[in-house]
């Protein structure tokens, strides 16, 4: 820590080319291999394949080693030995990025070996078979109880909830409950239920907009701005709610910049609206990441309330596989009281000899991740989670301060700025104030560092494109995305690093060194050199599976960002 601190402090003290090369015709590697592998004696070729399918000495002496490609789009007529297929698939998967260096993702990539062992031992257990796996279902119920108390369920309330496959499913369930409650209120008043709408900021993750489109609710997506810290603006909420508003999605941790949206401010807007009109509008808190961070950190959610302490907050979701520290495939949703889960959404199932109530979108789903989640909650306890979350935030602050101290970058995120300061104060701003500082000394938020090239850097090195930083870091195996802010601010692109549990101080030191080395190399390159830094071509599988466009062609999309079809940041 001291070494990095000195490194940052030292940084504070220091403060169109020739014509492009000729283009070549494109080569299709699939067609080239097909041509080179062709053989006039097809019968002989098939005979060799058949013999090698039956007998081989090592995985690399099977037919898939050189004679024949692994089938990609159609099932082969004959199978192949398991060890050979395992070797071939393993080798292909080596081309993937390293999960721990995927700094784009909020999803955890590490669990302790004891949790991993529990998952492997229970891989075959299905959450839908409640009667067959009662011990696993008890652990599920305990997770729900622990989270409801963690989120401030009030005395006299009976919280209910369920595990889901992630926050997307949980958000859909929370939205459906809000829609049904709104419909029941309207029908009781003899009013129509034809035009429901829901409020969210333009920084919302795609799952929120999916809910609106899939379940026929008008999505009122409100612009964000620098003034609103690129998240939901309570003033715009006030201007856009009406009697058909089923609720407001408020995000505890924007995926763009990590900022917590002002849940209590939105709640007060809705309180005032109810006093004037008699119309009650609910809040669902999307705490995909933040609901596993805010309860543990000294900063909390920045001071104001965000959870069930606010009566307006009816439900909260979280991803266990993000800062719950489980692996991908588990989320949770909790309603503060069972009365808030409409009976219309609950199914009574008579299945495999037992009877149970179900209110999920998925039926079969893995139970191993829930067991791992319960392991974490018991193993780490409150103090263990606090230590991890404080470490994540401390490392995110250090990265942010190093970036700004260089003079090359400015952070859009602000968890490294003193509480109440939301703008860049220059490279001479204090880096470390005291030895025992905690997140409480800074703005609350997720351990996310969103940054861009500084205005001075862009002026001095106008030929350098920010995307090139992402591309060159990818060559060093780091995945750091570069993408635009939401529509009203889409001319401002940011790079983003999510600091997860597995980002050690050692790795952070190397990340900063590599990032600065890449930046330096770009500064020393000319425009012609930088033309080589083009995005890699799509694979044939990608072309078959997706109709999307790469980043550099996004303006050619059928429905551009300005139409709201862009929230894929996760």
């Amino acid at each position: 820590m001291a070494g990095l601190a000195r490194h940052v402090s030292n940084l504070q003290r220091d403060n169109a080319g020739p014509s492009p090369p000729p283009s070549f015709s494109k080569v299709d590697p699939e067609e080239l291999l097909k041509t080179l592998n062709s053989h006039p004696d097809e019968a002989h070729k098939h005979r060799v394949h058949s013999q090698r399918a039956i007998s081989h000495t090592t995985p690399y002496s099977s037919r898939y080693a050189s004679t024949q490609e692994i089938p990609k789009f159609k099932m082969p007529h004959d199978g192949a030995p398991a060890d050979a297929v395992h070797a071939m698939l393993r080798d292909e998967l080596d081309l993937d990025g390293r999960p721990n260096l995927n700094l784009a993702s909020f999803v955890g990539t590490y669990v302790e070996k004891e949790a991993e062992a529990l998952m492997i031992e229970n891989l075959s257990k299905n959450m839908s078979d409640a009667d067959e796996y009662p011990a696993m279902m008890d652990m599920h119920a305990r997770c729900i109880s622990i989270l409801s108390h963690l989120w401030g369920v009030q005395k006299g309330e009976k919280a209910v909830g369920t595990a889901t496959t992630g926050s997307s499913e949980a958000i859909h369930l929370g939205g459906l409950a809000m829609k049904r409650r709104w419909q029941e209120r309207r029908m009781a008043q003899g009013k129509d239920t034809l035009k429901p709408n829901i409020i969210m900021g333009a920084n919302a993750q795609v799952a929120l907009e999916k809910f609106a489109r899939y379940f026929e609710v008008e999505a009122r997506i409100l612009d964000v701005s620098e003034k609103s810290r690129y998240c939901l603006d309570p003033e715009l909420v006030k201007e856009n709610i009406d009697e058909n508003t089923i609720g407001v999605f408020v995000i505890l941790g924007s995926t763009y910049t990590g900022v917590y949206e002002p849940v209590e401010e939105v709640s007060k807007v809705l309180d005032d609206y109810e006093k004037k009109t008699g119309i009650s509008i609910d809040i669902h808190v999307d705490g995909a990441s933040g609901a596993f961070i805010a309860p543990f950190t000294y900063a909390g959610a920045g001071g104001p309330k965000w959870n069930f302490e606010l009566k307006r907050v009816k439900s909260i979701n979280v991803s266990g596989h993000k800062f719950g520290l489980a692996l991908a495939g588990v989320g949770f949703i909790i309603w503060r009281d069972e009365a808030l889960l409409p009976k219309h959404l609950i199914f009574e199932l008579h299945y495999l000899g037992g009877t149970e109530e179900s209110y999920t979108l998925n039926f079969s789903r893995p139970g191993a991740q829930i067991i791992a989640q319960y392991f974490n909650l018991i193993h780490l306890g409150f103090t263990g989670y606090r230590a991890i979350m404080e470490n994540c935030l401390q490392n995110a602050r250090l990265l942010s301060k190093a970036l700004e101290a260089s003079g090359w970058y400015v952070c859009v995120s602000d968890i490294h700025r003193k509480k109440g300061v939301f703008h860049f104060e220059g490279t001479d701003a204090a880096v470390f104030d005291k030895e025992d500082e905690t997140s409480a000394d800074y703005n609350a938020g997720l351990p996310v560092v969103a940054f861009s090239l500084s205005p001075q850097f862009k002026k001095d090195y106008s030929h350098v494109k920010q995307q090139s930083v992402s591309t060159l870091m990818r060559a060093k195996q780091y995945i750091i995305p570069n993408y635009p802010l939401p529509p009203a601010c889409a001319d401002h692109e940011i790079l983003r690093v999510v600091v997860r549990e597995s980002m050690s101080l050692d790795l952070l030191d190397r990340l900063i060194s590599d990032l600065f080395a890449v930046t330096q190399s770009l500064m020393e390159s000319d425009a012609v050199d930088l033309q080589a830094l083009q995005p890699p071509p799509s694979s044939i599988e990608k072309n078959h599976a997706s109709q999307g466009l790469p980043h550099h062609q996004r303006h050619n999309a059928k429905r551009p960002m300005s139409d709201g079809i862009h929230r894929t940041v996760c």
Side-chain angles (χ1 to χ4, degrees):
M1 179 70 180
L4 274 176
R6 286 194 297 273
H7 181 54
V8 173
S9 297
N10 289 339
L11 280 170
Q12 283 186 291
R13 290 195 296 271
D14 305 329
N15 264 359
S19 59
S23 60
F24 295 90
S25 59
K26 294 180 68 175
V27 175
D28 185 336
E30 295 285 334
E31 287 298 320
L32 182 62
L33 285 173
K34 184 177 178 182
T35 302
L36 294 175
N37 278 326
S38 63
H39 195 286
D41 187 356
E42 289 297 321
H44 168 74
K45 189 174 179 182
H46 288 314
R47 205 160 46 244
V48 172
H49 293 174
S50 178
Q51 291 168 354
R52 292 195 181 185
I54 297 169
S55 175
H56 71 284
T57 306
T58 76
Y60 296 103
S61 65
S62 74
R63 71 178 190 266
Y64 288 140
S66 65
T67 310
Q68 184 179 356
E69 282 189 285
I70 288 181
K72 294 181 178 177
F73 304 111
K74 291 183 180 179
M75 181 183 292
H77 182 271
D78 297 315
D83 63 339
V85 176
H86 172 264
M88 300 303 131
L89 299 188
R90 180 196 60 206
D91 290 348
E92 184 173 351
L93 290 168
D94 282 343
L95 299 173
D96 280 342
R98 293 177 179 269
N100 196 40
L101 297 183
N102 179 6
L103 307 182
S105 179
F106 289 86
V107 178
T109 59
Y110 166 81
V111 291
E112 294 185 61
K113 62 181 181 180
E114 292 83 3
E116 190 175 81
L118 281 169
M119 291 184 70
I120 293 171
E121 291 161 9
N122 292 277
L123 276 177
S124 59
K125 291 186 178 179
N126 189 339
M127 277 292 293
S128 67
D129 300 342
D131 205 51
E132 280 64 36
Y133 306 121
M136 179 178 66
M137 297 308 296
D138 286 346
M139 293 182 186
H140 169 262
R142 293 170 198 166
C143 287
I144 299 300
S145 177
I146 289 170
L147 290 175
S148 64
H149 286 95
L150 189 66
W151 297 339
V153 67
Q154 300 297 291
K155 187 175 181 180
E157 294 177 332
K158 185 177 180 181
V160 294
T162 183
T164 60
T165 52
S167 277
S168 292
E169 181 187 2
I171 286 164
H172 288 192
L173 291 170
L176 280 170
M178 287 196 294
K179 181 181 179 183
R180 188 61 188 180
R181 292 197 301 268
W182 172 81
Q183 287 173 328
E184 290 175 354
R185 287 195 299 268
R186 297 280 292 178
M187 288 187 288
Q189 297 166 358
K191 297 179 179 178
D192 72 78
T193 58
L194 300 176
K195 297 179 179 179
N197 69 71
I198 191 160
I199 304 292
M200 67 187 82
N203 59 306
Q205 205 266 354
V206 68
L208 281 68
E209 189 176 348
K210 276 186 177 180
F211 160 74
R213 194 188 302 182
Y214 291 172
F215 296 104
E216 299 181 321
V217 177
E218 176 197 350
R220 294 189 174 175
I221 301 172
L222 310 184
D223 282 341
V224 301
S225 63
E226 185 177 2
K227 175 178 171 290
S228 71
R229 299 174 66 201
Y230 303 107
C231 69
L232 185 65
D233 187 339
E235 289 301 313
L236 292 182
V237 172
K238 187 186 303 184
E239 296 170 12
N240 285 274
I241 51 179
D242 58 34
E243 64 178 352
N244 290 315
T245 302
I246 67 170
V248 181
F249 281 138
V250 189
I251 304 168
L252 197 68
S254 169
T255 54
Y256 283 89
T257 62
V259 67
Y260 292 150
E261 292 189 333
V263 185
E264 189 166 16
E265 285 185 50
V266 173
S267 179
K268 289 176 180 176
V269 167
L270 300 179
D271 287 344
D272 292 342
Y273 182 76
E274 184 174 7
K275 287 176 184 176
K276 293 177 183 176
T277 65
I279 297 170
S280 179
I281 298 174
D282 299 335
I283 289 175
H284 172 86
V285 173
D286 172 17
S289 293
F292 253 125
I293 295 178
F296 299 111
T297 59
Y298 291 104
K305 298 175 182 176
W306 66 273
N307 57 16
F308 293 137
E309 295 175 55
L310 295 171
K311 289 193 174 296
R312 191 72 56 180
V313 174
K314 306 301 185 186
S315 51
I316 302 171
N317 70 270
V318 74
S319 293
H321 56 232
K322 292 178 182 171
F323 289 91
L325 310 181
L327 293 181
V330 61
F332 297 91
I333 180 170
I334 295 176
W335 290 269
R336 64 184 305 144
D337 191 81
E338 60 184 353
L340 296 167
L341 178 59
K343 300 299 181 186
H344 179 78
L345 300 182
I346 302 174
F347 288 82
E348 186 177 90
L349 305 178
H350 300 274
Y351 182 62
L352 299 181
T355 300
E356 62 173 304
E357 289 187 338
S358 173
Y359 40 92
T360 59
L361 299 180
N362 282 5
F363 187 61
S364 291
R365 57 196 193 280
Q369 283 89 338
I370 293 162
I371 295 170
Q373 183 66 78
Y374 183 58
F375 169 88
N376 284 338
L377 292 169
I378 301 305
H379 165 56
L380 293 172
F382 187 92
T383 55
Y385 268 100
R386 167 167 280 182
I388 290 170
M389 301 311 157
E390 284 289 327
N391 285 346
C392 290
L393 286 166
Q394 183 171 343
N395 284 343
R397 291 196 299 269
L398 184 55
L399 173 58
S400 302
K401 291 174 178 181
L403 290 168
E404 292 194 335
S406 72
W408 298 337
Y409 294 99
V410 174
C411 290
V412 177
S413 52
D414 52 32
I415 55 165
H416 63 297
R417 298 189 177 115
K418 290 298 181 183
K419 199 169 183 178
V421 177
F422 304 116
H423 60 276
F424 178 50
E425 294 185 306
T427 57
D428 294 329
V431 174
F432 300 104
D433 282 353
K434 56 182 181 179
E435 286 294 323
D436 60 344
E437 63 183 16
T438 70
S439 61
D441 298 307
Y442 295 89
N443 294 317
L446 305 181
V448 167
V449 182
F451 58 103
S452 57
L453 293 170
S454 68
Q456 188 61 48
F457 184 98
K458 292 177 182 178
K459 180 180 177 182
D460 294 342
Y461 303 95
S462 58
H463 64 289
V464 175
K465 304 301 179 187
Q466 194 167 282
Q467 176 62 38
S468 299
V469 177
S470 178
T471 303
L472 285 181
M473 289 299 285
R474 183 65 181 260
K476 292 178 176 286
Q477 302 189 67
Y478 301 99
I479 300 175
I480 301 177
N482 179 76
Y483 58 90
L485 286 169
C489 315
D491 57 340
H492 188 169
E493 292 189 346
I494 58 172
L495 296 151
R496 189 194 69 188
V497 169
V498 180
V499 178
R500 301 190 304 271
E501 171 193 21
S502 54
M503 173 67 78
S504 66
L505 195 58
D506 236 16
L507 181 56
L508 181 64
D509 192 0
R510 183 59 184 265
L511 170 65
I512 293 172
S513 297
D514 286 342
L515 186 55
F516 285 177
V518 160
T519 308
Q520 187 74 47
S521 70
L522 288 170
M523 294 161 65
E524 295 168 356
S525 301
D526 60 28
V528 174
D529 293 334
L530 297 183
Q531 283 188 353
L533 299 179
Q534 298 300 319
S538 296
S539 66
I540 189 169
E541 290 86 355
K542 173 72 173 175
N543 293 334
H544 273 277
S546 172
Q547 297 302 310
L549 294 169
H551 170 82
H552 65 289
Q553 294 177 353
R554 67 187 185 277
H555 298 298
N556 296 326
K558 294 177 182 177
R559 299 189 69 184
M561 286 182 62
S562 55
D563 285 354
I565 313 303
H566 69 287
R567 270 159 293 280
T568 55
V569 182
C570 58

